[in-house]
Amino acid sequence: MSENKFTEPSTIARCVPMSMLQSVLSGKWKILILWYVSFYKVQRFGELMRRIDGITQSTLTKQLRELESDGFLHREIYKEIPPKVEYTLTEMGESFIPVLQTMMEWSELHLCPGYKSPYSGDRSER
């Protein structure tokens, strides 16, 4: 699991479930990574780089590896030239989609009133 201050036994004892979730999602970009992979079903590294404005290649690599290690993402490597790597959600990642959708709805309502989301509606249109 990703290392942060919430993995120490004394801090985890405060609220184990929330501390564990905080530990897994502690990276600045992890929620966005999970959102894009959940919405588009399959994402390649370059697609995520283009979608997440401001992220560096090394940070994206690190956070993808952590999400894979924590069981949220599956990485499929295709032996081609040039190499091709695709990311999809695991079963655990899929189970997190309702949480992401609730977070999006809450943010639209409370933080971005009037925002017209391109992520609602039929995904087959994408």
Side-chain angles (χ1 to χ4, degrees), residues 5 8 12 22 29 39 42-43 47 51 57 65-66 73 76 86-87 92 102 113 115 120 123:
K5 64 184 178 184
E8 296 297 317
I12 288 180
Q22 173 65 32
W29 306 104
F39 185 78
V42 176
Q43 285 288 274
E47 291 172 322
R51 292 186 200 291
Q57 186 173 345
R65 287 187 180 158
E66 289 174 0
L73 292 180
E76 186 71 33
E86 292 182 339
Y87 294 91
M92 184 163 69
T102 300
Y115 174 75
S120 56
R123 293 179 183 206

Side-chain angles (χ1 to χ4, degrees), residues 10-43:
S10 61
T11 56
I12 288 180
R14 294 181 192 145
C15 181
V16 174
M18 290 305 286
S19 294
M20 294 300 292
L21 182 59
Q22 173 65 32
S23 179
V24 169
L25 298 179
S26 64
K28 178 178 179 179
W29 306 104
K30 287 182 180 178
I31 291 172
L32 273 177
I33 292 168
L34 289 171
W35 177 260
Y36 286 126
V37 175
S38 72
F39 185 78
Y40 291 101
K41 301 295 184 198
V42 176
Q43 285 288 274

Side-chain angles (χ1 to χ4, degrees), residues 1-122:
M1 185 169 314
S2 311
E3 291 295 311
N4 71 30
K5 64 184 178 184
F6 296 102
T7 58
E8 296 297 317
S10 61
T11 56
I12 288 180
R14 294 181 192 145
C15 181
V16 174
M18 290 305 286
S19 294
M20 294 300 292
L21 182 59
Q22 173 65 32
S23 179
V24 169
L25 298 179
S26 64
K28 178 178 179 179
W29 306 104
K30 287 182 180 178
I31 291 172
L32 273 177
I33 292 168
L34 289 171
W35 177 260
Y36 286 126
V37 175
S38 72
F39 185 78
Y40 291 101
K41 301 295 184 198
V42 176
Q43 285 288 274
R44 294 180 62 188
F45 185 89
E47 291 172 322
L48 288 167
M49 279 294 297
R50 285 186 293 278
R51 292 186 200 291
I52 304 173
D53 189 38
I55 195 168
T56 64
Q57 186 173 345
S58 61
T59 299
L60 179 57
T61 298
K62 181 178 185 279
Q63 295 200 357
L64 285 167
R65 287 187 180 158
E66 289 174 0
L67 286 166
E68 183 183 9
S69 172
D70 290 334
F72 280 77
L73 292 180
H74 170 74
R75 179 177 56 171
E76 186 71 33
I77 302 168
Y78 295 91
K79 307 251 189 262
E80 303 176 351
I81 299 201
K84 177 179 162 183
V85 178
E86 292 182 339
Y87 294 91
T88 56
L89 294 178
T90 61
E91 188 175 322
M92 184 163 69
E94 291 278 342
S95 73
F96 195 68
I97 290 175
V99 177
L100 291 170
Q101 290 171 332
T102 300
M103 290 170 68
M104 178 67 137
E105 291 165 7
W106 184 91
S107 182
E108 288 172 345
L109 181 64
H110 296 285
L111 303 177
C112 306
Y115 174 75
K116 181 72 173 153
S117 175
Y119 301 103
S120 56
D122 185 10

